[in-house]
Each structure stands twice: as structure tokens, then as C-alpha cells.
Amino acid sequence: MKHLILGNGPAGVVAAETLRHAAPGDEIVLVGAEDAPPYSRMAIPYLLEENIDESGTYLRKSPGHFDRLRIRELRGRAVSLDEAGRRVLFDDGHFEDYDRLLIATGSHPVRPPIPGVDLPEVHTCWTLEDARAIARFAQPGARVLQLGAGFIGCIIMEALEARGVELTVVEMGDRMVPRMMTPQAGGMIRKWVENKGIRVVTNAGVRRIDRRPSNDAPLDVTLSTGEAVVADLVIVAAGVAPNVAFLESTGVHVAKGVLVDDRLETSVPGIFAAGDVAEAPDLFTGEHLVAAIQPNAVDQSRVAALNMAGGDTRLKGVLAINVLATLGLISSSFGQWWGEEASRGGAGVEHVDEAAFRYLSLQFRDDVMIGATSIGLTEHVGVLRGLIQGRVRLGEWKDRLLDSPLQFVDAYIARSQQPAALVR
Ligand SMILES: Cc1cc2nc3c(=O)[nH]c(=O)nc-3n(C[C@H](O)[C@H](O)[C@H](O)COP(=O)(O)OP(=O)(O)OC[C@H]3O[C@@H](n4cnc5c(N)ncnc54)[C@H](O)[C@@H]3O)c2cc1C
């Protein structure tokens, strides 16, 4: 049996290793499209902060790791799939055949169609190559304009601050991290970063980027508000899209990402998908969801690999989890953090302590917690996750939590020990 794995990020690497254990005699080919050993994008901020060098980002650090596991590594970009012939065409013109295929090609950052977005001082922050370019331009005192204050935008702020740049962040939404945080939480994160000297402009985009005639201030960035900002570097962190182009006109069903079932198998038997490229069923709604964080990529790839090896393992459902460190302020959101309509059994509560930068929002459907948002509650975020992921029936604890939300640890201890409290 030959397993072909497209993508050598965390999903691809963990799938290859899992397959080696589950199917010791099978052939495994792991393909990466970038000019680097398998690495973790999560480590890029530490690289920019110069806490690690490039080798510190590598997913497996011992030399010969993949050879020892008899995992054949290939460099190439898949450009099309021939499902009937069970083979993949790569950008160098060669075909690789397979018995089982894993699509673990991740996603790529979106470059909005802004005039000037292709200038050499404009970069996304996604690959090691991007990190090298950002490090070149983001010197102490450099004026940096960052487009986007979402998950990635917030994560890289700390590294940019550590590099001593003068940072302006422009966000289209009405608050920071609008797709992961409640308005109150987004507002508190904004206040935190502004206190650290970062300028934040919300409800605004970039209209155009022009090169200045003089060399000392290379770019003029015009915002949608009409304001002009001078910048030495523009970082685009305006969202990502799954790498699915090579699946066009195939039987593999794609919505935003590749649609998979709870075995991580696609609409074509024998073809699986995992990680940032996959849309797996949500824990609560069963609707498909891209949950683009590394722990999900790893969980999904393990399940996919076990099934590729002939097993029958199922993923219970994806829980959207976002844990974010913005200049040292830890925030998190889980599940359906925005809540549920009252007519469908929804109820919610907020605890706000602006002075201490502590915040909690709990959201319920009937007596089950379906979502939460927190700031500054680092020690107990695992409990929130446990309550939501375990779909614990809270009984009378729901009303107690609506009165005093900070008692969620007590609720967890009281209710999660009772098997009858778990929703099947
Ligand atoms: C700066 C930054 C910070 C982050 N911080 C965090 C964090 O703190 N916590 C967290 O959970 N997540 C974080 N993430 C997200 C995390 O990195 C991703 O969720 C994770 O990398 C997903 O793993 P993956 O294997 O699915 O995809 P990827 O890591 O993107 O790997 C996909 C691989 O497929 C290859 N590929 C793409 N197209 C093709 C093709 N056509 N043919 C062959 N190969 C192809 C790519 O080159 C790549 O090697 C961060 C991301 C970035 C950019």
C-alpha cells in the first residue's frame, strides 16, 4: 500500500509518523512545496523576536528522522489530481501514484486586490521566506503598517514590538479580532495594545500603496478614511484561504476547504484531508468548519492516518478554539462564543473587569455551555474547554453561572464527574 501525503506541515508530518506506526510495511511519501525542512508556522513569531534561529522552527530536529522511519520526502507542488488513475501531477511535470492520498496542503494568506500590494516592501507573514523579508525591513524605528488585526495579526504584534518598530494596525472590522472575540473583548484587547504604544485604526482598510520618490520613506499608504500613513514596511494579515486549486474539476468536494466526514475522508473514497485545508463537522452543529489552528491539524491528521491504514477511527467533531497572546494579554474563545438566539434556548452572561483586563463571557443553549470568550483567565481556560467540549449538562449550575460566571471551575468539578451529565 502506498500513501501519498501532500503537505509537510504539522498535519502532514504527524500523519506520516502515525501511518508508520499503524502500517509498518507500507510505503509513505511526504511532499512539501517550500524550500525548507518541515517546519511550524507557529514558531515564526519567535524567529522574528530572534529567540530562535530557523532550525528552531523545524518540526523534527534530529537529523535523519524521516529516513529512519522510512518516510520518503519529496519537494514539489501538486498542480492536479487524476482520481481515476490514482496519481497526482506536480509542478516539475512528474506524476506520483498512490493507493491512499492525504491532502494536508494547509492554507495561504489572502492578498487583497489593493494597488501597490505587490511592491517589495509589502509582505504577508506566513512562511519562512516571509519571515526573512520582514526581518530585513522591520529594523528598530522602522514604520510598519499592519493590515489586519485578526488571529495572525495579533500574534505577530509581540514580535514586531520586540523588534522596536513603530506600528500602526488597520482593521476593517469594528474591533480587534472581530471573528473571534466579542465586542467587549475586542475593545479590551485594543486598549491593551494602545497602552503599549501601538496605533489602532478600526473600520478602515487600505485603499492604495504608493512608492515615494525619496528613499528614506519608501511607501505612502492611503487608508479608506483618506488618511495617508508613511511606512517602511506593510504587513498584510488579512485572512487566509485553503490550498485547493489543484482539486478543481475533480470529484473531491470543496466548499471553502475540502469537505470531510468524521473519518476525515473526502467525497472520493481513499482520499483524505486534514489540517487547515479541511472542513470537518463542527462538534455542536455538525456543519462543516475550517478550524485553522495547529492542535486541530494534528488531531485530524492522526485520525486520517489511522483510517488510511485501514482502521475505523472517528473524530468526535471539531471544537473551534482560539487561544491568543497579544503583547502578553492572553485571550481565548471557544465554540459558539457569539451565543445562541433566546428562541432556541440561548442565554449568556458577561463578567467585565476593565481595570484588571479580566473578562469572561459564557454562552448556553438550554443547560449546556456552547461557547465562551475570556481575557486574562489563563489558569482555567482548560476547564472552559472541558465544559464545552464535554457538552456537560449543567442542571441548576446554569442559573448559578448566569449569576456568577466566575464559578465555572466549581461547576466543572460538580458536574463533569457525573456520567449522567454528559450529553450523548
Ligand atoms: C505567524 C503564524 C503564527 C501562528 N500561531 C499559531 C498559534 O499560536 N497557535 C496555533 O494553533 N496555530 C498558529 N498558527 C496556525 C498554524 O500554523 C496552522 O494551523 C498550522 O500550520 C496548520 O497545519 P497544516 O499542516 O494544516 O498546514 P501548513 O502548516 O500550512 O502546511 C501545509 C504544507 O503544505 C504545503 N503545500 C501547500 N500547497 C501544496 C501543494 N499544492 N502541493 C504540495 N504541498 C503543498 C505547504 O508548503 C506547507 O508545507 C500560526 C500561523 C502563522 C502563520
Side-chain angles (χ1 to χ4, degrees):
M1 182 74 82
K2 178 174 172 186
H3 304 274
L4 179 60
I5 300 173
L6 300 178
N8 63 354
V13 165
V14 169
E17 293 168 345
T18 308
L19 268 168
R20 176 47 72 232
H21 283 286
D26 286 1
E27 185 182 349
I28 302 168
V29 181
L30 177 63
V31 190
E34 288 173 52
D35 192 16
Y39 70 94
S40 168
R41 305 192 191 289
M42 266 180 79
I44 287 176
Y46 307 107
L47 176 64
L48 286 173
E49 282 176 47
E50 297 177 2
N51 287 338
I52 55 170
D53 62 12
E54 280 197 17
S55 67
T57 68
Y58 298 166
L59 284 163
R60 299 294 176 261
K61 298 192 173 60
S62 69
H65 172 81
F66 295 103
D67 287 344
R68 263 197 308 282
L69 289 176
R70 287 173 291 113
I71 294 167
R72 180 155 64 91
E73 290 186 272
L74 265 187
R75 185 79 66 240
R77 182 170 293 278
V79 290
S80 71
L81 166 69
D82 168 9
E83 319 152 52
R86 288 187 170 243
R87 55 186 198 155
V88 173
L89 174 64
F90 288 90
D91 52 355
D92 63 359
H94 101 278
F95 284 94
E96 196 70 35
D97 58 5
Y98 63 85
D99 297 301
R100 298 274 183 278
L101 178 68
L102 178 67
I103 301 164
T105 47
S107 46
H108 62 275
V110 174
R111 275 187 180 248
I114 298 167
V117 79
D118 293 323
L119 285 166
E121 296 88 349
V122 182
H123 290 278
T124 53
C125 184
W126 196 251
T127 61
L128 283 180
E129 205 181 325
D130 290 338
R132 289 177 206 129
I134 289 172
R136 224 172 27 251
F137 288 106
Q139 297 295 331
R143 292 151 293 189
V144 179
L145 183 134
Q146 181 180 296
L147 175 54
F151 182 64
I152 302 296
C154 282
I155 285 175
I156 62 179
M157 252 178 234
E158 189 151 343
L160 292 171
E161 196 209 29
R163 295 187 69 85
V165 306
E166 204 181 283
L167 183 59
T168 301
V169 177
V170 178
E171 165 59 47
M172 297 273 276
D174 63 352
R175 59 185 186 274
M176 292 188 65
V177 230
R179 281 174 296 281
M180 291 180 190
M181 293 286 149
T182 61
Q184 178 68 38
M188 287 169 74
I189 295 172
R190 176 182 187 150
K191 201 164 160 214
W192 177 270
V193 303
E194 284 178 339
N195 286 350
K196 306 250 174 196
I198 290 170
R199 180 165 177 240
V200 180
V201 187
T202 48
N203 294 307
V206 168
R207 193 183 294 155
R208 55 182 303 115
I209 308 168
D210 296 292
R211 181 184 295 290
R212 284 189 143 196
S214 74
N215 280 340
D216 63 327
L219 302 177
D220 261 333
V221 184
T222 309
L223 306 189
S224 56
T225 56
E227 186 190 348
V229 180
V230 177
D232 301 294
L233 167 68
V234 174
I235 297 177
V236 178
V240 297
N243 291 322
V244 291
F246 68 101
L247 297 171
E248 220 171 271
S249 338
T250 69
V252 176
H253 292 168
V254 173
K256 197 165 171 246
V258 178
L259 296 171
V260 290
D261 60 18
D262 59 357
R263 298 179 69 247
L264 281 306
E265 196 162 22
T266 69
S267 51
V268 177
I271 302 184
F272 294 75
D276 281 11
V277 75
E279 273 194 55
D282 177 80
L283 181 68
F284 288 105
T285 61
E287 281 170 26
H288 284 75
L289 165 84
V290 176
I293 56 166
Q294 187 160 318
N296 272 334
V298 169
D299 288 350
Q300 291 181 1
S301 64
R302 270 203 201 97
V303 171
L306 292 172
N307 290 325
M308 289 166 78
D312 185 22
T313 306
R314 285 162 199 274
L315 193 77
K316 261 186 153 182
V318 176
L319 175 66
I321 301 173
N322 301 293
V323 179
L324 185 59
T326 313
L327 294 172
L329 183 67
I330 309 293
S331 56
S332 65
S333 65
F334 297 94
Q336 201 171 321
W337 54 267
W338 58 93
E340 178 64 282
E341 285 172 30
S343 60
R344 300 181 62 183
V349 60
E350 272 187 326
H351 166 88
V352 183
D353 182 348
E354 295 216 22
F357 284 99
R358 281 166 76 84
Y359 170 80
L360 181 64
S361 156
L362 302 179
Q363 299 298 329
F364 305 90
R365 184 186 304 121
D366 304 324
D367 69 342
V368 175
M369 196 185 293
I370 55 166
T373 313
S374 81
I375 292 180
L377 297 166
T378 44
E379 63 280 32
H380 297 310
V381 287
V383 172
L384 285 177
R385 177 187 174 159
L387 279 168
I388 297 166
Q389 199 156 27
R391 298 198 269 181
V392 175
R393 295 216 91 117
L394 290 161
E396 77 280 4
W397 272 95
K398 177 196 165 186
D399 285 335
R400 284 199 216 170
L401 288 175
L402 285 173
D403 277 344
S404 14
L406 290 177
Q407 284 191 8
F408 65 89
V409 178
D410 299 329
Y412 182 74
I413 292 166
R415 297 296 296 174
S416 67
Q417 315 298 338
Q418 303 177 15
L422 298 177
V423 177
R424 297 283 160 217

